[in-house]
Amino acid sequence: MAGSVAGPEIERLVQLLARLPGLGPRSARRAVLHLMRKRDELLGPLSEAMALAHERIVTCSVCGNLDTSDPCAICQDPRRDGATLVVVESVADLWALERAKLMSARYHVLGGVLSPLDGVGPDELGLGKLIERLRTGETREVILALNATVDGQTTAHYIADLLQPLGLKTTRLAHGLPVGGELDYLDEGTLAAALERRTEL
Ligand SMILES: [Zn+2]
């Protein structure tokens, strides 16, 4: 390989790592060198963990989370509040909410948001499956925890309309000031949302 200083095996590792989000060829090369240096402490355990993940990780058929069991640990947990269902765009969002330990609800991962330009419609998001789950389950409140992007909010409104006939309480996350945020740094949209949804002290 022209310009290559390492053998094809190492080059392949660099190229694969460079495909990870946030890593370019340069940082991938540094990561590979680090792995080589920490052969026993890092490279060995990492490759074992990856092989295991590749073998065992599945998508939960109930909520769309990723786990080593189907249904996932969250869906199987009897202590979870079955009355509240949190709808999120991605597994990353589900994990972010779980890390914050704010509630003990159940989830539904859409796997995307409505985006007509990219050909993502209600069928692609499996909204029928969500409705079916709500119709047969014990859910009383649906929290639409979707991103504050145009597509995220369009999707939230679409789902809210879809849920209306079911007579469930439907809420969405508030928009406004981030905790620790300074007014001077905020964009106009965030300021407008914070003003619009101001609360009484
Ligand atoms: Zn699940």
Side-chain angles (χ1 to χ4, degrees), residues 60 62-65 72 75:
C60 174
V62 180
C63 75
N65 188 17
C72 71
C75 286

Side-chain angles (χ1 to χ4, degrees), residues 60-65 69-76 94 107 133:
C60 174
S61 56
V62 180
C63 75
N65 188 17
S69 62
D70 180 19
C72 71
I74 292 177
C75 286
Q76 283 190 50
L94 187 165
Y107 294 91
R133 192 175 169 195

